[in-house]
Amino acid sequence: MPMSNVPISNVIMRAACLLVAAALIALSPATQASTEENRLANGMRVVVKTDRRAPVVVVMLWYKVGSVDEVNGVTGVAHALEHMMFKGTKSIKAGEFSRIISAAGGRENAFTSHDATGYVETLQSSQLELALKLEADRMNNLVLSPEEFSKEIKVVMEERRWRTEDRPRSLVFEALKATALTAHPYRRPVIGWMSDLETMTVNDAADFYRRWYAPNNALLVVVGDVEPREVFALVEKYFGPIPARALPVRKPQTEPVQRGARRVTVKAPAELPYVVMAFRAPPLRDAERDWEPYALDMLAAVLDGNEAARLNRTLVRGERVANSVGASYDGIARGPGLFYLIAIPTRGRTAAEVESALRREMAKIIEEGVTEEELNRVKAQAIAAQVYQRDSMSFQAQQIGSLEMAGVPHSTIDVQLKKLREVTPEQVRKVARKYFRDEALTIVQLAPQPLSTRRPVAPPAGVRHGR
Amino acid sequence: MGVERWLIGLLVLALAGPAAAILPIQHWQTAGGARVYFVENHDLPMLDLSVEFPAGAAYDSAEKSGAASLTNGLLRLGADGMNEDEIARGLADIGAQLGASSGTDRAGLSLRTLSSARERRQALDTFARILRNPSFPQDVIEREKVRLIGALKEADTKPSTIVGVNFYRLVYRDHPYALRSSGEVATVETLTRDDLVSFYQRYYDRRYAVVALMGDITRGEAEAIAEEVTRDLPQGNGAEPPLPAVSRLDAGVRRFIAHPASQAHILIGAPGIRRGDPDYFPLYVGNHVLGGGGFVSRIIEEVRQKRGLAYSAYSYFSPLKRAGPFVIGMQTKREQAGEALRVVDSTLREFVTNGPTEEELGATKRNIIGSFPLRIDSNRKIHGYLALIGFYRLPLSYLEDFAENVERVTIADIKDAFARRVDPERMVTVVVGPQSEQPAAAAAR
């Protein structure tokens, strides 16, 4: 669909997708292509990765600000501001940004996640300067008009309806995050609660822009057929004059220890139940010294990294208790990590049945561990994937940026692959034993409701339906 | 020649008119008659391969709707003495990625593998065995039917599914393009192993196979691979399976289907064009202005930018072997469905009557031509074009001629083509959500 402004890396959505993507983001190219880095006097960082396979460049400007930096009552403002970034500056009218990029043969997009906000232009490499000039302009000169905001916030509300309100499985993930976490802002949806969107003003977006959109809070990633020195010179020319600003203090908002399982039911029109179990698990912090995140990655892959992986083989193919299954781990994040197990029961089977089947598979790993053969298989997949990933320039830019936003240097990409290859069956068993505990579990199930043509009445007590 | 060189050649072409070949596509036939399309490139140590057939849902009958898709899905679930887990493990052990796809016209298998000798050999061996000798195990078929029926029943609760299913039924009526590619619950229930075996025997015919290869192998290796993966495929006596022509709509149809979702899901459209249609370029370029150009198209401008009515609003032509659909789509809060329909209708009528402005046409051409390198900047994308050109028998110079074909489109061409091919009076409109255009009635409890 020809849409931009899509928050592609909403962590909630990412978790619902294939695990392999999540697992492999921690892997990466053994970088044959060179990466060079620079920092401007105003604190802005630039990473350039040369890839000369095509005369194309991907420009990805990351701001280290996402929904995690919002406060209650103004949830969704990071994403709403992302939409407003296309609505004009002191020198460019609303909508002109997209027109200029388009007429230059380019494509533009943007995304907002819990951790970061990103803006992307893909063009012929000869048009690099245009993209940098436009991005520098809107970093410093955005004009936020009440008229444009009042229209765009309606678009955002439509987006929330489309993305969440009318999708039962999205509601499950929203309820899951809001339940698994109590203090940490990952508990709030990236798109924001509907009532916050309804009451948001242009001033909320302007405040957020003034606080966070500064060169010293930005990382520019450029991948493509470019000369690093030329990129650095152009970046200096356009971004160099923008002054650094003092950034707000980020409070840790540490999530307290969980002291018991939490269970929630979401009722929505559907045919099949849907069960998501989420365990608190540590994200990657120190790429050299940590080992648990790599073992968790491998654990997720052993469970769901290929069609013959444990969950699919036993629950879907063998016992036929599940229509589909999944496992994933969010290891690259500024905040707390979660390890997910997902199952959809076969028609006629219940949520309780797939839950106990998932629990049995966890117990099996805790008691018996995983085999060397299984582990070698998912390592082979990871090693091949790092070659395949080099086929996509935007993936490479995405990978560098998302690591950096989570505080993990992109220069550790090769180290991460090495560490992953060193994971032992015993380490996988250890992390399973340590983190698959009821005390750290949140479980949400979708209870399918008949598809009546009546509107839903009120959300069940305790669960935020968003409506 | 490396990708780099010919892509730069392309850039020169885009700026200076036709020159050398953009993409050196090599083409030949196997001994068994399969058509092969190959681009050699050694930048990355990997290979992309696909083998496709005229075996998509268009070849399903109404009674056995879903056979095409189920046949395709079963290939990887048992073949040549290997069970489904052995197949999956064998591929994962070497990091190979197997894909199975079944669309409207086409169906087949694809493979991505490292090009190093051990990995490539093992991946190709498994791939060829799956394609040539699938076993269609009875108990796996039973299981997959149950899973599919569950997924269909789930999909049938979603407004996005309901709008699509009804739209295609109304646009294509008794043409096979009206059939849902996954089949219906009632038809899937009746499918038997024999149905799948005979579908495979009839449609996975080596004479109509299209093999596309992109990546780190030589011409000699490509030839051997193409022979190996198509050798021993079924071979029938009949002609290439025919598809009936699509008839135009006699009149417009409007249908409202009640659903409790907060948004109305809207599709508007009619039969459009086939691949290789002489009107393709005027319609493609014109539609880019109308609703295909992302944020700079008229539909998004009117619906989203000016009025905030929708997050997503678009139009496209989807050319197929026979006339594929012209589609306008959006989702909007159910209470404002009527307003959104009126805005889109007047936008379409205005465009069909007057066409784009000079300024719009110029900007659109600059975008399409200027972004051309982005279409072929990865092995995956190039492989996709090889498969497309091969299946639809487009000229090998399709990409080479693309910029020139876009450049020569005039406003008069666009107006003429739209006038003949898009009739706002004869469109199918399906709205899922409100029961009628009157929001008051829709909101009644």
Side-chain angles (χ1 to χ4, degrees), chain A residues 62-80:
Chain A
W62 296 75
Y63 292 94
K64 191 168 181 171
V65 62
S67 64
V68 74
D69 300 298
E70 296 165 351
V71 295
N72 274 355
V74 201
T75 64
V77 70
H79 171 252

Side-chain angles (χ1 to χ4, degrees), chain B residues 288-309:
Chain B
H288 202 266
V289 176
L290 174 64
F295 269 98
V296 297
S297 73
R298 287 208 190 167
I299 288 177
I300 203 80
E301 178 69 23
E302 295 298 325
V303 172
R304 174 170 164 161
Q305 317 287 58
K306 280 194 191 161
R307 296 178 178 84
L309 290 173

Side-chain angles (χ1 to χ4, degrees), chain A residues 1-7 20 24 32 52-58 79 83 86-87 95 98-108 122-126 148 150-152 154-163 165-169 225 269-273 305-309 312-313 316-318 320 322-324 344 346-347 373 376-378 380-385 387-393 446 448-457 467, chain B residues 3-4 7-8 11 14-15 41 43-46 48 76-77 84-86 88-98 112-114 139-140 142-144 146-151 153-159 162 189 258-265 288 291-296 300-301 304-315 331-336 363 366-381 435 442-443 445:
Chain A
M1 199 163 296
M3 274 304 103
S4 40
N5 297 18
V6 181
V20 194
L24 295 183
Q32 259 112 331
R52 298 202 185 283
R53 296 189 307 137
V56 170
V57 64
V58 175
H79 171 252
H83 277 232
F86 294 85
K87 296 298 176 183
S98 303
R99 279 198 190 86
I100 294 168
I101 293 291
S102 173
R107 296 176 191 161
E108 34 86 354
T122 309
L123 315 100
Q124 289 194 17
S125 37
S126 58
E148 290 295 337
S150 68
K151 286 188 291 184
E152 199 59 28
K154 286 188 200 162
V155 172
V156 175
M157 287 188 260
E158 291 294 347
E159 182 178 350
R160 182 178 160 86
R161 289 182 190 102
W162 176 78
R163 193 177 285 291
E165 310 263 324
D166 290 340
R167 292 192 190 189
R169 291 178 192 173
D225 184 18
E271 171 72 18
L272 301 174
N306 56 72
E307 280 186 79
N312 197 52
R313 180 166 44 89
V316 176
R317 291 179 166 182
R320 308 184 177 190
N323 231 42
S324 58
I344 298 168
T346 316
R347 279 186 75 227
E373 187 199 348
N376 285 341
R377 180 171 303 132
V378 295
Q381 288 186 280
I383 293 161
V387 173
Y388 304 151
Q389 286 160 8
R390 286 165 53 204
D391 195 34
S392 165
M393 287 190 230
L446 171 67
Q449 302 297 298
L451 188 66
S452 104
T453 52
R454 289 170 178 239
R455 310 295 306 282
V457 196
R467 206 181 163 75
Chain B
V3 177
E4 184 189 347
L7 285 178
I8 285 167
L11 185 56
L15 302 174
N41 181 272
D43 289 348
L44 296 174
M46 56 190 259
D48 284 287
R76 68 196 301 167
L77 301 182
E84 54 187 353
D85 289 333
E86 289 163 345
R89 283 197 294 261
L91 291 166
D93 279 338
I94 47 167
Q97 299 176 346
L98 176 69
R112 172 167 266 199
T113 176
L114 299 174
D139 68 319
V140 174
E142 292 310 319
R143 183 194 71 209
E144 292 303 303
V146 170
R147 289 182 64 209
L148 178 55
I149 289 166
K153 293 205 170 205
E154 179 66 42
D156 283 341
T157 66
K158 297 182 194 317
I162 297 169
E189 273 169 351
H259 191 282
S262 66
Q263 278 188 320
H265 286 240
H288 202 266
F295 269 98
V296 297
I300 203 80
E301 178 69 23
R304 174 170 164 161
Q305 317 287 58
K306 280 194 191 161
R307 296 178 178 84
L309 290 173
Y311 171 59
S312 151
Y314 55 87
S315 67
Q331 303 88 32
T332 186
K333 188 160 74 167
R334 56 193 291 131
E335 292 80 4
Q336 59 202 20
R366 285 196 295 281
N367 177 258
I368 298 171
I369 295 169
S371 65
F372 196 82
L374 279 56
R375 291 173 185 250
I376 50 172
D377 65 3
S378 69
N379 289 21
R380 193 181 287 293
K381 292 181 193 173
Q435 284 158 313
R445 302 274 156 112

